[in-house]
């Protein structure tokens, strides 16, 4: 599915007089896993919302295959078939009475025939290994289950790019393992996966590349190189991953 290239160029965004993005640019590698890193309050979520077309930048542009987003209704509808955003709190996205109807919501609103909707729902529930939840009321799900159902709803739109805001936040170790498996299944479906996180150890272990958000700008590169850059990481109010910190102390 990830045959489309999502990019951002010279993004600027302000809230009132506070400028939070100052020329942030990135090209997101297709079919790969990218971790967007930043401290709490660094506006990772705002950047994801810009990439998803939910927010329009003050300056700069978000583009798919070099074509800027059209912010009219039809253009945004088209963009959201390419790029889907999954919020940090699944309760911000889940609203139907049960899992099946929630996951089916997007395909139904695309005007797909009933049989195609059923096929898409069955496909994504199977891919995320949550078929047993199909008839469960949303309010009976655990937090981790609700997160995976929110991902299923986005995946049912068959996007090329999935943006996930802090997908492992609030999960216990078992929940993190289940979420990691869910992310791997997205990648196996040839979906580009971007996660926003402040968990440097997870990013180092999981990502093909990382982008560090610091002072409203982005640095993009190889995980070990960027996450081992002490000046960059501490300046971004993060910490060097444990493994890299130990290697640094050993002079390796």
């Amino acid at each position: 599915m990830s045959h489309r290239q999502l990019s951002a160029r010279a993004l600027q965004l302000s809230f009132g007089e506070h400028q939070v993005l100052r020329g942030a640019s990135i090209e997101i590698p297709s079919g790969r896993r990218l971790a967007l890193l930043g401290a709490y309050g660094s506006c990772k979520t705002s950047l994801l919302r810009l990439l998803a077309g939910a927010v329009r930048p003050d300056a700069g542009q978000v583009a798919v295959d070099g074509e800027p987003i059209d912010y009219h209704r039809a253009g945004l509808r088209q963009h959201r078939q390419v790029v889907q955003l999954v919020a940090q709190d699944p309760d911000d996205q889940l609203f139907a009475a049960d899992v099946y109807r929630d996951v089916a919501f997007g395909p139904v609103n695309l005007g797909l025939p009933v049989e195609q909707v059923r096929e898409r729902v069955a496909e994504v529930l199977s891919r995320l290994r949550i078929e047993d939840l199909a008839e469960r009321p949303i309010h009976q799900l655990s937090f981790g289950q609700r997160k995976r159902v929110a991902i299923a709803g986005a995946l049912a739109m068959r996007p090329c790019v999935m943006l996930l805001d802090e997908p492992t936040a609030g999960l216990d170790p078992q929940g993190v393992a289940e979420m990691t498996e869910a992310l791997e299944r997205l990648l196996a479906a040839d979906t580009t996966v971007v996660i926003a996180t402040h968990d440097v150890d997870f990013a180092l272990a999981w990502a093909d590349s990382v982008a560090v958000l610091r002072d409203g700008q982005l640095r993009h590169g190889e995980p070990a190189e960027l996450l081992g850059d002490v000046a960059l990481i501490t300046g971004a109010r993060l910490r060097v991953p444990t493994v890299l910190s130990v290697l640094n102390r050993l002079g390796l």
Side-chain angles (χ1 to χ4, degrees):
M1 286 187 282
S2 60
H3 54 284
R4 311 294 297 276
Q5 178 76 50
L6 179 65
S7 63
R9 182 171 62 83
L11 294 181
Q12 296 185 37
L13 182 68
S14 297
F15 297 127
E17 296 183 357
H18 181 49
Q19 189 176 32
V20 296
L21 292 178
R22 303 177 177 87
S25 298
I26 190 169
E27 290 200 8
I28 297 173
S30 296
R32 307 281 280 171
R33 58 190 93 194
L34 168 70
L36 171 62
L37 288 148
Y40 285 116
S42 63
C43 290
K44 299 187 300 296
T45 297
S46 296
L47 179 56
L48 290 186
R49 287 173 58 79
L50 285 164
L51 293 171
V55 174
R56 191 168 186 167
D58 300 328
Q61 68 178 31
V62 175
V64 174
D65 294 340
E67 290 294 323
I69 295 178
D70 175 358
Y71 289 94
H72 293 92
R73 180 177 297 179
L76 289 175
R77 180 183 176 91
Q78 182 179 15
H79 186 70
R80 287 164 189 162
Q81 292 182 56
V82 177
V83 181
Q84 280 283 307
L85 171 62
V86 179
Q88 177 177 349
D89 186 346
D91 295 331
D92 290 342
Q93 289 183 242
L94 304 177
F95 56 87
D98 60 55
V99 169
Y100 182 92
R101 279 181 279 186
D102 208 285
V103 175
F105 179 81
V108 167
N109 278 272
L110 289 177
L112 297 179
V114 172
E115 189 55 38
Q116 287 188 31
V117 172
R118 288 175 179 164
E119 289 176 2
R120 287 201 184 196
V121 174
E123 175 188 322
V124 298
L125 294 182
S126 174
R127 181 165 291 150
L128 296 176
R129 292 186 174 176
I130 53 174
E131 307 102 306
D132 57 316
L133 302 180
E135 298 181 4
R136 290 273 294 277
I138 295 293
H139 71 273
Q140 291 184 2
L141 302 178
S142 70
F143 185 68
Q145 287 172 331
R146 295 200 304 278
K147 283 206 168 194
R148 282 182 286 156
V149 171
I151 292 173
L155 189 59
M157 297 293 287
R158 294 184 177 172
C160 297
V161 183
M162 289 276 283
L163 310 173
L164 299 101
D165 192 3
E166 300 281 2
T168 61
L171 299 179
D172 59 20
Q174 179 61 32
V176 172
E178 291 171 350
M179 179 57 67
T180 302
E181 181 182 359
L183 296 178
E184 291 305 312
R185 287 176 172 270
L186 296 182
L187 290 156
D190 196 28
T191 304
T192 301
V193 180
V194 179
I195 66 166
T197 183
H198 64 279
D199 187 338
V200 293
D201 293 306
F202 180 82
L204 179 64
W206 177 82
D208 296 316
S209 65
V210 299
V212 178
L213 186 57
R214 176 186 176 185
D215 297 331
Q217 296 185 325
L218 284 168
R219 282 273 306 277
H220 181 207
E222 294 296 318
E225 179 183 353
L226 259 63
L227 296 180
D229 185 333
V230 176
L232 172 67
I233 296 304
T234 56
R237 294 182 291 125
L238 297 166
R239 65 171 179 81
V240 174
T242 302
V243 170
L244 297 182
S245 181
V246 170
L247 291 176
N248 286 340
R249 290 176 185 176
L250 293 174
L252 299 177

